Amino acid sequence: MRLVRPILGVTLGLWLLLGIGYPLAMTGISQVLFPSQAQGNLVYLNGRVVASRHVGQYFSTPQYFWGRPSATLSVSTGKPKPYNAFASAPSNLGPTNAALLNTIKARIEHLLATTPGLTVNQIPASLVEGSGSGLDPNISPQAAYIQVPRVAQATGLSEVFLRQLITQSIEAPQFGLFGRSRINVTLLNIQVYRMLHGGT
Amino acid sequence: MSVQTIVTWAVVAAIFALTVKPLGTYIVRVFTFQPTILDKPLRPLENAVFRMFGVDRDSNMTAKQYGIAFVLSNLAWMILSYVFLRMQGILPFNPQHFGAINPQLAFNTATSFTTNTNWQAYSGENTMSYFSQFANLGFLQFVTPAAGGAVGIAFLRALSGRKLGNYFVDLTLMCTRLLLPLAIVVGLIMVGQGVPETLAPYLHIHTISGQTQVVPRGPIASWEAIEHLGNNGGGYTNANSANPLENPTPFTNVVQTVAMGLIPVAFFYAFGVMTGRKKVAWTLIGVAGTIFAVLLAMIYVPEHLGNPLINALGLNTHANMVGKELRFGIGGTSIFETATMSFTTGSVASAHDSFLPIPGLAFFTAMFLNLVFGGKGVGLINMMMFVIIAVFLMGLMVGRTPEFLGKKIETREVSLASIAFLLHPLLILVGTALAIALPVGLKGVYNPGPQGFSEILYGFSSAAANNGSAFGGLGAALPFYEVALGVTVLIGRYASLMAMLLLGESLLRKKTVPVTSGTMRTEGWLFGGILLGAIVVLNALTFFPVAALGPLANHYLLMAHHLF
């Protein structure tokens, strides 16, 4: 019984400090130091929020570059809903699961059927293998370049221009030290959108 | 292997090498009550709380009192957490209007967060309010590693011939002097890199392709900091650190990796300073570091080479990117996963279920051993358990009474260490066997073949090791698993810690025997080798059969291009 008072007291003291004080103070400081990041890195187009920079979006129409496959589901229906940021999830398919191989083959077929002149040995594995979060914002430069013929055909933009757009959009490894070269698919597609519809 | 992979690994290793001494020394200064720089701002605050609630800063507890205070305070937090979860619907900071959490899930979540396991049978972003995230689960992510660390400190005091100290003082100092200052620094780096930190509601974004995307927000950065520094590993969202909202850049990936290991590695050095045997500490760091490097290689190499079944399709690249994020690459992903398994954090930057079998075996090995630095204090305690078993084996071989730190290791110590050692496989193997024998257990399996067995084995290993990561295919939200794994985490956490606390005290009571030329040395290459050997042999004997049924069987079937 001697323990009741210190247990409750120390819990209360630490709760006020760590459960309430710490997150609220951090939130306050962040609004001052990093207001844009703290609010979720909003990307604007014509004054409207069109993306959260680091969260990938689903593109399936031919005029846009496509991101990596996403296994996220709708919370209400349980049906596939790619790039559902409200329910991040991987596919969890294991390495010897036939379903893994079948989905990868189907994705390869889909890419070959929709992209003129594409061959299997040009497709990076990451473009046909689902990401860990289902929200991966990135693809490799190679994965973008191989989609150029399809996007050019659907948009009427020249292949040379699109290739240039990709090259300009490559993010180098961070500080030159960490990670790898990559393309933010949503930001690249916003450029394409601007070319087609204008806007800033 | 890319330059970036080498640099990432080198930076992580260099930071550990540079921080182990200063941070270890700092930990010792704090818990032997020597002056430190944070005394001035924090001491008056701490003292006010202690005075108000009848805690004497200089008092000492026995192992039993210390253990009881530890267990009862944990019980209080568990009840508090459970009640908060059940009341979620009427508590503040709930802009998405999430309702109350059901009883089984509330029990599973409260036990798993209280035991520092952070197994999650829910998806945070569509289940938990901001209040539940930061004022309930986030709070537990501070105090539960602090409580485990406090027991570790008491154990170190006992080993070094000091009195055990006061649990409440150690708990508080662990929070105020170690976790909170580091969390502020790491949290701000996270925000600067693009992790949200706000109380504003979720975003409803109208995309350029005409869809609506709901993007979760909240005080995520402050959560990420303590999730990793405390080796908690509970994700703010379901995908955990694979989610770009939690881990947006390759640099945040490195920072989170480092945050997991800072304190556990320093704890090993603190042991050396406290007991005055730095050489023993370096030997133990060497043993744990060796296993860490082996695990990293076991994860990186197969993933880099890729899945032979997919390679046969003739794609442009070979690395296995199933369930991985492009921005980290295989190198960044591998070091994160090695760290999360070694330091028993359990957060993930990729989907473990989709790794190849040999990396899967590395995950299992880390959880079976549970001493590759481990969580703060707890990993060191497990390492000590093996040291005692190793000196006992050495003693048997040469026919001498074994000694460690100048104390004779006798029946009671070996018994307690054996109990602590055997409990871990008992929980894992009995739990797995039970789940496999019962239809409700098999219902949770997602992947067919040996991978399905591995999913169950992983669940119980993760629960027993208080790790918290999962082979995500397992239906953890089934009531059977919510309860069975909830019970496993409780026993896994408290029984072994209690056994080791009693062991520490029994060593403390013994007379120190003088060192002679006949004393077996517990430092250097020879002892390190014997210790490593004892760890490998004892665990292989215990776990080889289940490893053969799960990851090893899957590996050979994969090599034979067999699909399920």
Side-chain angles (χ1 to χ4, degrees):
Chain A
M1 279 303 100
R2 278 179 308 107
L3 289 172
V4 172
R5 204 169 126 216
I7 286 176
L8 296 182
V10 170
T11 300
L12 179 69
L14 291 177
W15 185 70
L16 289 174
L17 178 69
L18 308 167
I20 300 293
Y22 162 74
L24 296 188
M26 289 291 283
T27 303
I29 297 168
S30 301
Q31 306 310 315
V32 178
L33 292 182
F34 308 106
S36 142
Q37 290 96 318
Q39 288 298 319
N41 310 279
L42 307 180
V43 178
Y44 292 87
L45 182 70
N46 301 327
R48 205 163 55 85
V49 178
V50 291
S52 170
R53 193 180 194 287
H54 298 294
V55 181
Q57 293 180 0
Y58 184 46
F59 295 97
S60 57
T61 48
Q63 74 268 33
Y64 290 122
F65 290 93
W66 298 343
R68 299 183 58 198
S70 162
T72 55
L73 305 172
S74 159
V75 177
S76 47
T77 64
K79 293 208 177 94
K81 187 184 178 193
Y83 288 89
N84 179 10
F86 190 58
S88 58
S91 72
N92 282 320
L93 290 171
T96 50
N97 194 331
L100 175 69
L101 256 285
N102 293 337
T103 49
I104 289 175
K105 282 181 188 159
R107 287 167 189 152
I108 294 172
E109 288 309 317
H110 184 57
L111 283 172
L112 294 177
T114 49
T115 311
L118 185 67
T119 56
V120 175
N121 64 8
Q122 294 177 315
I123 304 174
S126 56
L127 194 61
V128 288
E129 295 178 344
S131 64
S133 60
L135 306 173
D136 195 335
N138 299 124
I139 54 176
S140 66
Q142 166 77 5
Y145 285 126
I146 61 167
Q147 298 185 48
V148 164
R150 187 196 70 233
V151 177
Q153 204 175 49
T155 58
L157 297 168
S158 82
E159 294 199 11
V160 176
F161 172 78
L162 286 170
R163 256 188 222 103
Q164 223 173 4
L165 207 59
I166 292 170
T167 310
Q168 287 163 3
S169 304
I170 295 175
E171 292 177 44
Q174 203 173 7
F175 317 129
L177 301 175
F178 306 119
R180 47 180 293 181
S181 296
R182 56 200 212 271
I183 302 273
N184 185 309
V185 180
T186 308
L187 297 185
L188 177 63
N189 282 332
I190 289 174
Q191 306 256 50
V192 174
Y193 180 95
R194 277 206 194 109
M195 291 315 298
L196 299 174
H197 307 280
T200 48
Chain B
M1 192 184 271
S2 70
V3 179
Q4 283 76 29
T5 296
I6 295 167
V7 170
T8 301
W9 295 2
V11 165
V12 171
I15 295 176
F16 289 150
L18 290 174
T19 54
V20 56
K21 270 188 170 183
L23 192 57
T25 311
Y26 173 76
I27 291 173
V28 173
R29 292 188 70 88
V30 168
F31 291 100
T32 50
F33 309 111
Q34 300 171 56
T36 61
I37 50 161
L38 289 174
D39 278 351
K40 223 173 177 180
L42 293 174
R43 221 182 145 85
L45 198 74
E46 293 155 1
N47 281 345
V49 174
F50 291 153
R51 216 170 307 121
M52 209 181 308
F53 298 106
V55 177
D56 180 0
R57 203 165 181 138
D58 304 315
S59 64
N60 284 292
M61 292 175 163
T62 63
K64 209 165 139 193
Q65 288 169 334
Y66 203 101
I68 289 173
F70 167 70
V71 172
L72 287 183
S73 63
N74 278 227
L75 184 68
W77 301 335
M78 197 187 302
I79 294 170
L80 179 77
S81 174
Y82 179 85
V83 172
F84 273 166
L85 289 172
R86 299 285 295 133
M87 288 168 53
Q88 175 169 275
I90 55 169
L91 289 167
F93 298 109
N94 188 2
Q96 306 314 122
H97 307 290
F98 293 129
I101 307 297
N102 75 52
Q104 297 103 295
L105 180 58
F107 165 73
N108 181 285
T109 306
T111 51
S112 112
F113 274 76
T114 304
T115 52
N116 196 227
T117 309
N118 311 72
W119 174 272
Q120 293 168 294
Y122 65 90
S123 300
E125 70 266 48
N126 52 45
T127 313
M128 295 295 173
S129 69
Y130 292 172
F131 183 89
S132 293
Q133 298 273 32
F134 73 75
N136 181 355
L137 304 176
F139 165 67
L140 291 181
Q141 303 215 59
F142 270 104
V143 288
T144 65
V151 174
I153 286 293
F155 184 68
L156 285 190
R157 290 208 187 98
L159 288 185
S160 60
R162 293 176 171 86
K163 294 218 168 83
L164 253 57
N166 183 302
Y167 167 74
F168 297 105
V169 175
D170 295 339
L171 169 72
T172 307
L173 294 185
M174 199 59 86
C175 290
T176 55
R177 302 307 179 88
L178 212 54
L179 293 174
L180 183 60
L182 285 170
I184 292 170
V185 175
V186 172
L188 289 177
I189 296 176
M190 289 294 134
V191 190
Q193 284 288 306
V195 181
E197 180 75 7
T198 175
L199 293 174
Y202 290 8
L203 290 160
H204 290 257
I205 295 175
H206 299 284
T207 70
I208 54 168
S209 56
Q211 300 159 31
T212 304
Q213 188 184 39
V214 179
V215 175
R217 291 194 289 186
I220 304 180
S222 55
W223 169 288
E224 291 309 309
I226 193 58
E227 171 188 353
H228 292 97
L229 283 166
N231 301 116
N232 293 288
Y236 192 93
T237 67
N238 183 47
N240 214 320
S241 282
N243 193 326
L245 285 166
E246 299 194 41
N247 193 3
T249 67
F251 182 60
T252 54
N253 193 57
V254 170
V255 174
Q256 291 183 3
T257 303
V258 167
M260 290 189 246
L262 277 181
I263 304 175
V265 176
F267 236 96
F268 272 54
Y269 185 75
F271 152 79
V273 176
M274 283 217 14
T275 54
R277 287 167 205 261
K278 287 187 195 166
K279 276 187 188 161
V280 178
W282 286 120
T283 304
L284 300 184
I285 290 173
V287 169
T290 304
I291 303 175
F292 187 95
V294 170
L295 295 176
L296 178 60
M298 277 172 75
I299 295 170
Y300 175 80
V301 174
E303 294 297 317
H304 181 69
L305 298 175
N307 183 330
L309 288 163
I310 298 173
N311 291 350
L313 300 175
L315 290 163
N316 184 265
T317 59
H318 276 175
N320 177 26
M321 289 301 286
V322 182
K324 295 195 189 63
E325 297 287 299
L326 191 94
R327 59 194 176 281
F328 310 139
I330 301 289
T333 306
S334 300
I335 188 87
F336 187 101
E337 307 309 343
T338 308
T340 195
M341 300 315 288
S342 298
F343 306 130
T344 69
T345 310
S347 66
V348 293
S350 55
H352 282 192
D353 216 345
S354 298
F355 275 70
L356 295 164
I358 296 301
L361 182 63
F363 299 152
F364 280 113
T365 306
M367 291 188 288
F368 292 158
L369 302 185
N370 207 12
L371 48 65
V372 193
F373 297 112
K376 39 204 58 50
V378 181
L380 181 65
I381 287 179
N382 286 330
M383 184 61 103
M384 287 300 151
M385 173 183 91
F386 265 96
V387 167
I388 285 168
I389 293 170
V391 293
F392 172 67
L393 293 176
M394 280 165 74
L396 282 183
M397 281 188 268
V398 294
R400 288 183 47 91
T401 310
E403 289 162 20
F404 181 53
L405 304 176
K407 311 274 184 161
K408 278 196 162 61
I409 303 294
E410 291 167 307
T411 319
R412 185 177 158 81
E413 290 77 38
V414 176
S415 306
L416 284 168
S418 302
I419 289 171
F421 167 65
L422 287 173
L423 194 71
H424 189 54
L426 189 77
L427 287 172
I428 294 172
L429 300 178
V430 171
T432 306
L434 194 70
I436 290 195
L438 295 173
V440 282
L442 289 175
K443 230 172 78 185
V445 167
Y446 176 67
N447 279 295
Q451 188 76 7
F453 173 79
S454 294
E455 286 174 356
I456 295 175
L457 180 66
Y458 197 112
F460 283 96
S461 305
S462 174
N466 296 138
N467 178 295
S469 66
F471 269 4
L474 186 73
L478 292 173
F480 169 76
Y481 284 106
E482 286 183 337
V483 175
L485 297 174
V487 172
T488 307
V489 295
L490 286 177
I491 305 173
R493 173 80 165 177
Y494 299 109
S496 59
L497 276 183
M498 285 302 276
M500 294 311 283
L501 208 49
L502 290 171
L503 188 149
E505 192 179 51
S506 110
L507 283 178
L508 175 62
R509 289 213 195 97
K510 295 198 162 187
K511 269 196 239 128
T512 306
V513 285
V515 178
T516 65
S517 61
T519 304
M520 288 187 297
R521 280 153 44 92
T522 50
E523 62 203 37
W525 292 99
L526 179 64
F527 180 71
I530 291 172
L531 177 60
L532 190 60
I535 291 170
V536 171
V537 170
L538 285 173
N539 281 288
L541 286 172
T542 316
F543 291 111
F544 184 78
V546 284
L549 288 173
L552 287 175
N554 214 22
H555 171 72
Y556 287 108
L557 289 163
L558 182 67
M559 290 301 123
H561 287 223
H562 188 96
L563 279 173
F564 291 92

